[in-house]
Amino acid sequence: MSYQTLSELCKALLWSRIDHERGERADAYRASDAELEMAESSVGARFPDDYRWFMKHYGMRGLEDPRVNLSIRGYSLSFLGMFSPVDIAAINSQKWSSCDLLGRSIIPSWMLPVADSLSGDALLLDLSAAGYGSVWMRHSLLPPMKWRSDNAELVPIADSFTELIAIIVAQPQMGNSGFNQDEALPL
């Protein structure tokens, strides 16, 4: 896989159109600096720069690229139609990492759920010092537990958010679906 910037990688993906004729605006999908800072404050950690950039430029815009229908280490990412808004990611992080009476939680306190499926699978962004910026998968069938710092119960997906996008882009093209590939969302 050749090195590309996150901007170049995002331009290579198929994104759902922004319907300007119906009054839809690109900034409705993006996170502002204030929203990012508020989310970071609520989880107690600064988000990795590549994830911050992505949320400021693409955010929760619909990902219509068929290459997202891939399996990494036996786990399907076909649920990845969009990434969670930063405020929802922060709320879910707090809710899912809250411990029950036995000290168990759905996710470790150092993880940010950046996307999730209806069945409960989740892509998690590691905010710990040891694995900062890496992306992990939590399977829906995994019960709440007392988490260890080695993330042994989770599945490693990518070393960074940029690498996750690069893995998707590196998948073979399935044909042109007619969606706008590179309608950038300027700041």
Side-chain angles (χ1 to χ4, degrees), residues 35-95:
E35 290 168 322
L36 283 162
E37 290 165 10
M38 188 178 304
E40 290 169 334
S41 176
S42 71
V43 299
R46 180 170 168 83
F47 300 149
D49 289 341
D50 57 352
Y51 176 72
R52 290 181 112 261
W53 181 93
F54 179 85
M55 294 309 294
K56 287 172 64 172
H57 292 84
Y58 287 86
M60 59 180 206
R61 185 163 174 202
L63 182 56
E64 302 287 351
D65 200 301
R67 291 176 290 180
V68 79
N69 295 313
L70 76 148
S71 178
I72 300 176
R73 293 186 175 87
Y75 290 90
S76 172
L77 295 187
S78 61
F79 67 87
L80 192 55
M82 67 178 244
F83 288 91
S84 300
V86 292
D87 58 339
I88 300 300
I91 290 168
N92 286 343
S93 180
Q94 292 173 333
K95 182 170 64 172

Side-chain angles (χ1 to χ4, degrees), residues 52-180:
R52 290 181 112 261
W53 181 93
F54 179 85
M55 294 309 294
K56 287 172 64 172
H57 292 84
Y58 287 86
M60 59 180 206
R61 185 163 174 202
L63 182 56
E64 302 287 351
D65 200 301
R67 291 176 290 180
V68 79
N69 295 313
L70 76 148
S71 178
I72 300 176
R73 293 186 175 87
Y75 290 90
S76 172
L77 295 187
S78 61
F79 67 87
L80 192 55
M82 67 178 244
F83 288 91
S84 300
V86 292
D87 58 339
I88 300 300
I91 290 168
N92 286 343
S93 180
Q94 292 173 333
K95 182 170 64 172
W96 296 351
S97 67
S98 295
C99 292
D100 64 14
L101 295 175
L102 299 175
R104 302 172 307 181
S105 63
I106 295 170
I107 65 170
S109 60
W110 55 88
M111 293 287 184
L112 180 73
V114 296
D116 61 276
S117 72
L118 292 175
S119 67
D121 294 332
L123 276 180
L124 306 172
L125 187 63
D126 194 332
L127 301 177
S128 72
Y132 189 73
S134 57
V135 181
W136 299 78
M137 175 76 154
R138 183 204 181 276
H139 191 275
S140 62
L141 298 178
L142 192 63
M145 62 183 55
K146 292 182 181 180
W147 293 95
R148 302 184 331 220
S149 61
D150 63 1
N151 300 326
E153 297 82 3
L154 301 174
V155 178
I157 298 296
D159 290 337
S160 68
F161 190 81
T162 300
E163 184 182 29
L164 170 65
I165 302 299
I167 290 168
I168 295 168
V169 169
Q171 299 306 302
Q173 286 276 30
M174 303 299 225
N176 186 351
S177 63
F179 290 97
N180 185 1

Side-chain angles (χ1 to χ4, degrees), residues 10-30:
C10 288
K11 287 178 183 177
L13 290 171
L14 299 173
W15 299 95
S16 59
R17 286 192 180 277
I18 296 172
D19 192 349
H20 297 289
E21 292 177 11
R22 291 188 175 205
E24 206 172 10
R25 295 182 8 213
D27 62 346
Y29 297 99
R30 300 184 302 224

